[in-house]
Amino acid sequence: MTIQTPSPFEAPAQVAFHRTELALILGLYGRMVAAGEWRDYGISNLRDIAVFSIFRRTAENPLYRIEKNPRLRLRQGQYAVVGMDGQVLKRGNELKSVLQVLERKLIRLIEK
C-alpha cells in the first residue's frame, strides 16, 4: 500500500476568496450600499473559479461579477471584473487595482 501525499502544486478542490480579498471587496460593497447603488450580493465557490456577484435588487441578474480564477494568474491575471453583459471590464493580478474600475463609478456618484 502506497500513501501519496498531496503535491504543493496541486490545485485545491475548491477555489475561494481569502479573508484579505473579501475585506477589499466588502469594503467597496459597503460604500456602494451606502451610496444606494447596490443592495445584495452572492458568493459562489466553485471548483475552478470563485465569484462574488453584485446585485441592484435580489431578483435580478448580477450587475457585476468579481471573479478569481487562479489558473489565469500567469497569463491575464487571476482577478476580473465582469459586467452585466459578460464584458470583462478589468483584469489583473492585484485585486485592489482591478476593483478601481468600480471605485470610479462611486466617485461619479458623489460628484453629481
Side-chain angles (χ1 to χ4, degrees), residues 61-65 81-89:
N61 292 330
L63 287 175
Y64 301 104
R65 293 187 327 258
V81 174
V82 181
M84 183 186 292
D85 56 354
Q87 181 181 8
V88 176
L89 302 177

Side-chain angles (χ1 to χ4, degrees), residues 34-62:
E37 285 296 306
W38 299 345
R39 303 222 191 279
D40 200 9
Y41 71 91
I43 299 176
S44 302
N45 296 322
L46 306 173
R47 183 176 189 153
D48 298 330
I49 190 169
V51 181
F52 187 95
S53 302
I54 300 164
F55 299 91
R56 180 168 292 154
R57 290 180 193 83
T58 305
E60 288 186 348
N61 292 330

Side-chain angles (χ1 to χ4, degrees), residues 21-107:
E21 297 165 338
L22 277 176
L24 287 171
I25 295 169
L26 289 173
L28 171 65
Y29 176 78
R31 291 190 299 277
M32 293 299 270
V33 167
E37 285 296 306
W38 299 345
R39 303 222 191 279
D40 200 9
Y41 71 91
I43 299 176
S44 302
N45 296 322
L46 306 173
R47 183 176 189 153
D48 298 330
I49 190 169
V51 181
F52 187 95
S53 302
I54 300 164
F55 299 91
R56 180 168 292 154
R57 290 180 193 83
T58 305
E60 288 186 348
N61 292 330
L63 287 175
Y64 301 104
R65 293 187 327 258
I66 301 167
E67 299 180 349
K68 177 182 178 182
N69 188 346
R71 289 187 302 156
L72 296 177
R73 90 177 151 266
L74 298 177
R75 295 181 186 164
Q76 303 162 339
Q78 67 178 340
Y79 301 107
V81 174
V82 181
M84 183 186 292
D85 56 354
Q87 181 181 8
V88 176
L89 302 177
K90 185 139 185 186
R91 184 182 296 275
N93 272 322
E94 290 188 27
L95 182 59
K96 192 171 188 174
S97 65
V98 171
L99 292 178
Q100 285 178 350
V101 72
L102 298 175
E103 290 277 353
R104 284 189 219 127
K105 295 183 185 306
L106 181 63
I107 292 170

